[in-house]
Amino acid sequence: MNHTTELPNHRSARVRNGATAAPPPARSAKRRPTSTQWAAWGFLAPVTIYLALFYAYPLYRNLDLSLRDYTVRSFVQGDAPFTGLANYRKVLTDPTFAPALLHTAVFTAVCLVSQYAIGLALAVFFNQNFRLSATLRALFLVPWLLPLIVSASTWSWMLNSESGVVNATLHAVGIGPVNWLTSPSMSLTSVIIANIWIGVPFNLVVLYSGLQSIPAGLYEAAALDGANAWQRFWRITFPLLRPVSAITLLLGLIYTLKVFDIIWIMTKGGPADSSTTFATWSYQLGFGNLLPAFGPGAAVGNLLVVAALVFGLGYVRVQRKQALS
């Protein structure tokens, strides 16, 4: 008697109506990190630790300061009561808020536009590669390389009402002395001039590097078509320099928003708060009084962080739209 052996289920399932079915997927073993992945995590770990210690934790502490009623004792012992948004309400209703906001906006806008315009003009000028171009370019970097305390102290001496070289020059040409640092109408202008002088070299270096990436053949073709110097700049240089200009303006904006050293050394935000910005006001609240107000000072600092974050996100959104278009 013949006995037929029944095929296993997994084999019989492979043949149905003359068609072959695919075998069930095999279970994949749990993947272990390779040496390349471990190396990647190793290189990433120092950056992550650095960002956590010097960026994330200070931001967290500043936010915590702004949401609690800290005194000197509670700052040391760490038992400050939670007050929510009370410090922000106190800052927004403070009489100094409106002038500080106006001064911050004027200081940032004037410095940003002036630094970019002067830096772009100098970059176009040095892009001609004339004799001594490299030497002059290096001299223009001196304000950027000097420590801020040295630059601010130098400008304080130059703009001194009695012994400053600026007033001495004005006297030589028949103009009376100007109280650059002690007049409420001139103090903000003085710190703006000093900050423009310090920030121009940065714009010059970045924009000059952007000009080097523009092909010279475009200018030659435009010149053959009869375009003058202004038309070549407006239709070739400026459009092709737009990505570099955007990142230059963004970095300049973030830097200018938080300028403290120059203003504090030259005027200390005075006289009569005529040159007070959010940066100097935050320092005055937290450290400039016998009874420091840590919470309101941290709240003002957080307003600056939010402003920089808004502009940064706006820049990212604009860049994304330009990449998609």
Side-chain angles (χ1 to χ4, degrees), residues 21-259:
R27 291 185 178 179
S28 58
K30 187 176 180 181
R31 297 181 59 184
R32 296 182 179 180
T34 62
S35 57
T36 305
Q37 291 174 330
W38 282 117
W41 282 109
F43 282 109
L44 188 62
V47 179
T48 305
I49 296 173
Y50 173 80
L51 292 176
L53 289 178
F54 296 101
Y55 285 89
Y57 181 72
L59 286 175
Y60 162 75
R61 287 292 299 153
N62 203 60
L63 181 62
D64 181 70
L65 280 173
S66 67
L67 298 177
R68 296 179 181 274
D69 184 17
Y70 272 97
T71 61
V72 176
R73 183 189 63 81
S74 61
F75 186 82
V76 176
Q77 297 180 355
D79 57 349
F82 182 80
T83 58
L85 299 178
N87 289 321
Y88 290 93
R89 287 192 294 268
K90 183 178 180 180
V91 165
L92 293 176
T93 56
D94 193 289
T96 310
F97 176 79
L101 177 62
L102 177 62
H103 298 157
T104 303
V106 172
F107 179 83
T108 303
V110 175
C111 288
L112 199 63
V113 173
S114 301
Q115 289 171 354
Y116 176 78
I118 298 173
L120 179 59
L122 291 173
V124 173
F125 174 72
F126 286 119
N127 195 41
Q128 301 175 12
N129 293 324
F130 55 90
R131 192 174 182 182
L132 298 180
S133 172
T135 303
L136 292 176
R137 222 169 44 242
L139 291 177
F140 269 99
L141 293 179
V142 172
W144 192 31
L145 299 176
L146 289 175
L148 288 177
I149 188 172
V150 175
S151 300
S153 300
T154 302
W155 275 100
S156 297
W157 167 74
M158 292 173 59
L159 297 177
N160 187 277
S161 302
E162 298 178 358
S163 59
V165 65
V166 175
N167 276 348
T169 304
L170 294 178
H171 178 73
V173 297
I175 302 177
V178 178
N179 297 322
W180 296 98
L181 303 178
T182 57
S183 172
S185 61
M186 293 301 300
S187 59
L188 184 62
T189 303
S190 302
V191 295
I192 287 176
I193 293 173
N195 191 65
I196 290 173
W197 179 79
I198 293 173
V200 164
F202 171 77
N203 288 260
L204 168 61
V205 170
V206 178
L207 294 173
Y208 179 80
S209 301
L211 289 176
Q212 296 295 302
S213 62
I214 300 177
L218 296 177
Y219 296 104
E220 297 174 359
L224 292 176
D225 290 338
N228 56 31
W230 172 252
Q231 290 173 334
R232 292 196 298 270
F233 169 79
W234 190 249
R235 297 184 179 181
I236 298 177
T237 304
F238 195 71
L240 295 181
L241 206 60
R242 190 172 300 167
V244 179
S245 299
I247 190 64
T248 304
L249 291 172
L250 176 64
L251 294 176
L253 173 68
I254 296 174
Y255 169 80
T256 309
L257 277 175
K258 64 183 183 63
V259 167

Side-chain angles (χ1 to χ4, degrees), residues 3-7:
H3 297 279
T4 58
T5 306
E6 186 179 356
L7 293 175

Side-chain angles (χ1 to χ4, degrees), residues 263-289:
I263 302 175
W264 189 258
I265 292 172
M266 294 181 64
T267 64
K268 288 185 171 58
D273 293 334
S274 58
S275 59
T276 296
T277 62
F278 276 176
T280 59
W281 188 29
S282 176
Y283 179 83
Q284 279 181 324
L285 289 172
F287 304 99
N289 301 315

